[in-house]
Amino acid sequence: MRKIEGFHTLWTAPYFKQNTEDTYSMQDYELLTMILSALMWRKMNGPITLYGDERAIDYVERQGIAHIWNGGIKEIDVPDRVSPRVFWAAGKLYALKKAKMPAVMVDLDLIVWKNIEKYIEGTNICAIHREGIYPDVYPGREFFNMKDGYAFDPGWSWDEPPVNTCMLYMADEQFKNYYVDSSINFMENCRETEENLCHMVFAEQRLLAMCAGREGKIISSFFPEAADIEGQDVFTHLWGYKNILKFNFQKRVEFNDRLCERIEREFPEETVIRELNVCR
């Protein structure tokens, strides 16, 4: 089996924009999902690295789970000029900038149950699926509030379907740098001060498609249509289900129990799970 390197990103700045605590914390279901995500990636695909800021690294070390990422833990530094309120996922772009390709960027709330070699073989870029250009999510260029002097590249096509990047494989280091630099340049030149979704998904998902189109890169999909995801058994993505878990205590208990049982059954050596006080 080919070893495929993966990486997680944990950037805490958005958390501290909404909370007054001195130290970072995660919901129990978020913590368990992150742990199982890393463990399953190790089992089915290869080494996985965690990129995080100083408070994130302190958190995983305090939880006693730093060893989960067998590719190591590396620090990222997102500059203050990138608003964590607007660009809540900016840490992923700075992690991608630091990571060496080929590699797979994996969201913390995504668990990959199978080996993905057959999906990425022969591809340069592979993501979960493409998305439609819905105007309320992906508006035109006139929507964006940018600093004087910033200009959208005239070589970018606004007709390219955006890319869902909850799992993203990239093989080409040079293209990766072009995309990430374009995204960071956009974020650093944005005047927006309040989160409205559109700016973040432009920086992460739409710009990837635009940059690929400009460079003649083909973006493959694990599942060409979003509807194809319903019947698949390759991955589980919490995404919107987190809102249910946050407010429905019974669902939360049931979900945590399932994850604890899976971790204990497949990874009995990970006794630290019991010490986290999230398993009954």
Side-chain angles (χ1 to χ4, degrees):
M1 182 180 75
R2 170 188 171 190
K3 289 189 179 298
I4 306 167
E5 294 196 15
F7 68 91
H8 278 157
T9 306
L10 182 56
W11 183 46
T12 65
Y15 174 90
F16 289 106
K17 283 295 180 182
Q18 299 179 2
N19 297 274
T20 58
E21 292 92 339
D22 292 330
T23 55
Y24 178 74
S25 64
M26 299 178 79
Q27 298 284 353
D28 48 11
Y29 54 86
E30 293 176 318
L31 177 61
L32 286 169
T33 302
M34 178 178 70
I35 291 171
L36 186 53
S37 174
L39 291 173
M40 285 305 303
W41 186 270
R42 283 170 39 177
K43 179 177 181 177
M44 302 307 301
N45 287 287
I48 186 165
T49 301
L50 175 66
Y51 288 92
D53 56 23
E54 185 177 359
R55 282 169 155 171
I57 294 172
D58 173 69
Y59 173 73
V60 300
E61 289 178 344
R62 282 189 289 108
Q63 300 303 311
I65 59 172
H67 66 282
I68 295 290
W69 293 274
N70 61 345
I73 297 178
K74 299 179 181 180
E75 187 170 353
I76 56 171
D77 181 23
V78 180
D80 293 339
R81 58 184 175 273
V82 174
S83 168
R85 191 184 302 279
V86 179
F87 298 106
W88 70 93
K92 291 171 62 178
L93 279 305
Y94 283 85
L96 187 58
K97 183 175 180 65
K98 198 166 186 177
K100 298 298 181 185
M101 300 300 103
V104 181
M105 182 169 69
V106 183
D107 277 6
L108 297 175
D109 62 353
L110 183 85
I111 303 169
V112 182
W113 303 109
K114 295 185 175 182
N115 180 267
I116 63 168
E117 183 175 3
K118 70 176 183 180
Y119 294 97
I120 65 174
E121 187 175 4
T123 69
N124 191 265
I125 307 166
C126 192
I128 292 291
H129 62 81
R130 306 298 287 268
E131 299 194 341
I133 306 177
Y134 307 110
D136 56 333
V137 179
Y138 298 107
R141 74 183 75 194
E142 68 282 351
F143 172 85
F144 296 100
N145 184 15
M146 307 304 294
K147 295 177 182 177
D148 293 340
Y150 178 84
F152 293 99
D153 190 327
W156 291 341
S157 170
W158 292 75
D159 296 325
E160 293 283 351
V163 183
N164 187 300
T165 54
C166 65
M167 180 164 59
L168 175 67
Y169 167 76
M170 301 186 79
D172 188 329
E173 180 75 12
Q174 185 175 358
F175 173 75
K176 183 262 307 196
N177 288 332
Y178 166 56
Y179 155 57
V180 170
D181 290 345
S182 297
S183 179
I184 289 174
N185 185 41
F186 170 80
M187 292 190 292
E188 292 184 349
N189 281 281
C190 181
R191 281 203 186 107
E192 190 61 46
T193 59
E194 295 297 327
E195 187 271 320
N196 58 27
L197 179 66
C198 301
H199 287 77
M200 185 66 249
V201 296
F202 178 85
E204 184 183 2
Q205 302 194 154
R206 196 171 190 182
L207 255 181
L208 174 56
M210 289 175 156
C211 289
R214 188 184 189 284
E215 296 296 297
K217 300 289 186 181
I218 296 174
I219 301 177
S220 301
S221 299
F222 291 93
F223 302 95
E225 301 294 335
D228 296 339
I229 292 176
E230 295 299 322
Q232 58 82 33
D233 59 357
V234 178
F235 71 91
T236 298
H237 190 202
L238 251 63
W239 193 228
Y241 193 60
K242 286 185 286 188
N243 288 327
I244 296 175
L245 297 174
K246 185 176 182 179
F247 297 108
N248 188 318
F249 178 75
Q250 186 58 40
K251 292 288 186 183
R252 181 172 179 159
V253 170
E254 293 171 358
F255 179 83
N256 287 348
D257 284 350
R258 288 200 302 272
L259 262 63
C260 287
E261 188 277 330
R262 187 70 180 257
I263 293 170
E264 291 174 344
R265 172 163 47 89
E266 297 211 33
F267 308 97
E269 72 280 6
E270 293 300 338
T271 56
V272 68
I273 298 302
R274 283 292 175 189
E275 299 168 10
L276 293 174
N277 297 319
V278 292
C279 296
R280 293 190 297 176

